[in-house]
Amino acid sequence: MSITGIVRKVFESRQLELEKHQNEGKVLQEAVLGRLIAEAKDTEYGRNHAFATMKGYEDFVRHIPVNTYEELKDSIDRMRHGETDILWPGRVKWYAKSSGTTNDKSKFIPVSQQGLKRMHYKGGFDAVAMYLQNNPKSRLFDGRALILGGSHAPNYNLKGSLVGDLSAILIENINPLANLVRVPKKQTALISDFEIKRDKIAREAMNKNVTNISGVPSWMLSVLTRMMEISGKTHLEEVWPNIEVFFHGGVAFTPYRKQYEQLITSPKMHYMETYNASEGFFGLQNDPNDKSMLLMLDYDVFYEFIPMDGGDAVPLWGVEIGKNYAMVISTCCGLWRYEIGDTIQFTSTNPYKFIITGRTKHFINAFGEELIVDNAEKGLAYACEQTGAEVSEYTAAPVFMDANAKCRHQWIIEFAKRPADLQLFSDLLDKRLQEINSDYEAKRYKDITLQHLEIIEARENLFNDWLKLRGKLGGQHKVPRLSNSRETIEQLIALNERKEERGERKEK
């Protein structure tokens, strides 16, 4: 029997427990809420919001407002300075550094010991449990796991307290036994300079028997590409003949899928999406033939959902299929009715399955068109399919009305494989957006309100250079896909033009 055949038994009881997600969603979530309230009732936040007297969800809603980071920031900062029993019992020593808000460059999300155990590591365990259940012939544990991570740094110089990427926190606290089956070594995994780390990871992992990889698609692709350069090979299975699965999350996989399929041609290769964020672990793709994910209901996360078309937050048992919601969470890390910033849409309520549709702040609605990231991903996928193009990175923003009342959407796209006819690609993208978004279609009618979109072709590595200038290369940092503001796209256009000008001068 293989090592995987022996280890597989560890996951069997959990596979049976997960069946409760099929028809006990409300029961599971009510149990989570009761547990969170009971554990936090003696914290400062619990005392201020009458946790001790709460009888259920109605009391919870009545006493606690929906929060953004700004509302919890002062409490989190006190926790970072070493104060105890503020949002969660005891002292929280770890803080996941996430992309900033309107007022701050970064957010610092508390990560308690309970959060590590009951959310993040539990999610990783369940990902393997589901994968093994779906793949009875798997040899996952007969080789190594390549796990990408970011880096961390001291928190206010407090002993034992650190801030950093969530992935770095997970690597730092992982069970030492796991280090026996993962690469790279911990010292390499936590290097802060991504370009140095990428090269070291590629060299360390190249001669190992890697069967599975985990990380953000964009950064993993960069590491694998470097390994191909060093090895001189064309396909990943030439380096790792037993590679069988990529556990991916952090950004949408659609723009990268074709590049991975070209890099890994093995018919036994699988892809499994995970929804893990700095704030918690929320979903897993439990069916390889269904792109939607199963909402994980028995972690220490209580969910609520705010309809994007207006209305109050509803609990899980109040959601409707096909409706766009902003997700609100309460967790064992001390986030209470916290609006995470992601939008989702349920595809099923028995069990509760969903797709991520975008970000509450990452959309374009400058002219009433309500373009969301899900629309953009589908439009790009269609244009790529029709033209054979491949998109590496992109962002889009509005060009506001000029003196002649002309306005449009402007896209800057970095192609892994450029289309032979960029205008055709642009036409197909615009056409598909009209087909899947009636508001966009209405605004595009006869070019009266919104004119044809514009595409600027980005030079190679433009988006990586932009991230590097901001100290955000690697880790879990992402490029905002859509924005009502022109700040990001203007910076990218300027950087694109500066490099092109230098290139022209060199040629002369």
Side-chain angles (χ1 to χ4, degrees), residues 10-26:
V10 174
F11 297 90
E12 288 178 353
S13 62
R14 180 58 181 163
Q15 289 166 346
L16 291 173
E17 283 182 7
L18 287 169
E19 293 179 8
K20 294 178 181 178
H21 283 64
Q22 187 74 30
N23 51 25
E24 297 183 26
K26 183 178 180 182

Side-chain angles (χ1 to χ4, degrees), residues 142-383:
D142 289 53
R144 302 286 192 95
L146 170 59
I147 303 174
L148 284 192
S151 60
H152 56 60
N155 168 50
Y156 288 140
N157 293 316
L158 290 179
K159 185 178 179 180
S161 185
L162 296 168
V163 299
D165 290 332
L166 173 69
S167 53
I169 294 172
L170 296 177
I171 289 172
E172 185 67 50
N173 289 281
I174 199 168
N175 187 314
L177 292 175
N179 288 318
L180 300 176
V181 295
R182 59 170 292 276
V183 288
K185 58 187 179 183
K186 186 175 174 181
Q187 181 183 357
T188 301
L190 297 176
I191 291 173
S192 58
D193 187 313
F194 181 73
E195 290 174 300
I196 294 173
K197 175 158 65 179
R198 180 182 70 160
D199 187 75
K200 282 183 172 289
I201 290 174
R203 294 180 187 278
E204 282 184 33
M206 191 166 60
N207 298 315
K208 299 291 192 298
N209 176 28
V210 172
T211 61
N212 61 100
I213 55 180
S214 303
V216 177
S218 51
W219 304 123
M220 181 62 77
L221 188 63
S222 181
V223 169
L224 299 181
T225 300
R226 178 58 183 148
M227 194 164 65
M228 293 297 97
E229 292 170 355
I230 296 170
S231 67
K233 305 296 185 183
T234 304
H235 298 117
L236 191 63
E237 61 266 32
E238 296 177 76
V239 179
W240 297 329
N242 298 311
I243 185 72
E244 61 174 271
V245 61
F246 179 20
F247 299 101
H248 60 85
V251 298
F253 191 54
T254 302
Y256 304 98
R257 179 174 288 278
K258 185 169 284 189
Q259 294 174 70
Y260 275 93
E261 290 174 348
Q262 290 173 346
L263 179 64
I264 311 169
T265 58
S266 169
K268 65 181 182 182
M269 186 64 187
H270 302 91
Y271 299 90
M272 182 173 179
E273 186 169 7
T274 66
Y275 182 15
N276 53 326
S278 298
E279 296 86 353
F281 202 117
F282 310 124
L284 286 166
Q285 184 182 5
N286 67 323
D287 181 350
N289 298 312
D290 183 357
K291 291 182 179 179
S292 59
M293 288 182 277
L294 182 71
L295 192 68
M296 307 312 294
L297 303 179
D298 61 351
Y299 298 1
D300 271 7
V301 184
F302 181 76
Y303 300 98
E304 295 174 88
F305 305 91
I306 301 175
M308 290 299 287
D309 57 3
D312 296 329
V314 296
L316 183 69
W317 49 93
V319 300
E320 299 174 30
I321 293 174
K323 200 168 184 176
N324 221 29
Y325 293 98
M327 195 158 80
V328 175
I329 59 170
S330 298
T331 77
C332 60
C333 291
L335 299 178
W336 299 105
R337 303 199 78 200
Y338 180 85
E339 194 170 351
I340 189 174
D342 288 342
T343 60
I344 72 168
Q345 189 177 104
F346 284 92
T347 59
S348 166
T349 54
N350 188 27
Y352 287 95
K353 299 185 74 170
F354 67 96
I355 57 170
I356 301 170
T357 53
R359 297 281 292 171
T360 54
K361 293 182 179 178
H362 292 181
F363 59 89
I364 303 177
N365 194 29
F367 317 107
E369 66 276 46
E370 297 188 20
L371 190 76
I372 61 175
V373 174
D374 187 57
N375 299 156
E377 298 286 354
K378 288 176 179 174
L380 287 170
Y382 175 78

Side-chain angles (χ1 to χ4, degrees), residues 324 341 343 357-366 369-380 393-398 409-413 429 433 436-437 440 453 463 478-489 492:
N324 221 29
T343 60
T357 53
R359 297 281 292 171
T360 54
K361 293 182 179 178
H362 292 181
F363 59 89
I364 303 177
N365 194 29
E369 66 276 46
E370 297 188 20
L371 190 76
I372 61 175
V373 174
D374 187 57
N375 299 156
E377 298 286 354
K378 288 176 179 174
L380 287 170
E393 298 285 356
Y394 74 91
T395 193
H409 287 181
Q410 188 176 54
W411 298 61
I412 183 163
I413 302 176
L429 173 58
L433 292 177
I436 60 181
N437 183 321
Y440 183 83
L453 63 84
F463 286 84
K478 296 165 270 192
V479 176
R481 296 307 195 190
L482 304 177
S483 176
N484 274 328
S485 163
R486 287 194 55 79
E487 181 180 0
T488 296
I489 202 167
L492 284 160

Side-chain angles (χ1 to χ4, degrees), residues 457-503:
E457 188 173 356
R459 61 169 175 79
E460 187 178 3
N461 290 322
L462 173 67
F463 286 84
N464 277 0
D465 290 346
W466 181 79
L467 286 168
K468 187 176 180 180
L469 283 172
R470 280 148 190 80
K472 295 184 176 181
L473 188 64
Q476 294 179 302
H477 299 296
K478 296 165 270 192
V479 176
R481 296 307 195 190
L482 304 177
S483 176
N484 274 328
S485 163
R486 287 194 55 79
E487 181 180 0
T488 296
I489 202 167
E490 292 285 7
Q491 292 170 356
L492 284 160
I493 290 171
L495 189 60
N496 199 42
E497 290 173 348
R498 284 205 301 275
K499 288 279 186 174
E500 287 176 352
E501 286 170 7
R502 280 198 214 108

